[in-house]
Amino acid sequence: MDTQTLDKPDVTTDETTEDDTPKFFHYVKKDKIVESAVMGNIVVALCGETFPVTRSAKPGSPVCPKCKKIYSRMKKGD
């Protein structure tokens, strides 16, 4: 019998504060947020950051400046 080892993807951890809350939240496709929260899948933010969804942003939460800039340049749906 052969055993396989699965490698976890690299996840940047330098974006949290001392109490383990994120410094800021990222923009991620809506359909991927729930999937990640339930299944633990890794998501990719607009800025390229990869991470599993563990928290949801509250109104007024700080937003990743790179994600915010990319989002502002995206064409809005008519």
Side-chain angles (χ1 to χ4, degrees):
M1 184 181 272
D2 208 12
T3 303
Q4 293 181 349
T5 303
L6 298 176
D7 293 327
K8 285 188 169 184
D10 290 335
V11 178
T12 303
T13 58
D14 63 346
E15 293 188 0
T16 57
T17 57
E18 290 178 10
D19 63 354
D20 199 33
T21 58
K23 286 183 190 175
F24 40 72
F25 291 87
H26 297 274
Y27 287 123
V28 177
K29 290 184 178 182
K30 285 183 184 181
D31 61 328
K32 299 296 181 185
I33 295 172
V34 174
E35 182 181 318
S36 176
V38 173
M39 304 291 286
N41 298 344
I42 300 294
V43 295
V44 180
L46 290 179
C47 67
E49 184 72 30
T50 58
F51 55 92
V53 174
T54 57
R55 293 196 161 89
S56 60
K58 308 255 186 296
S61 296
V63 177
C64 166
K66 290 179 185 177
C67 283
K68 194 173 188 176
K69 185 176 182 178
I70 294 167
Y71 183 76
S72 70
R73 291 180 178 176
M74 294 174 73
K75 184 178 179 178
K76 303 283 189 228
D78 294 62

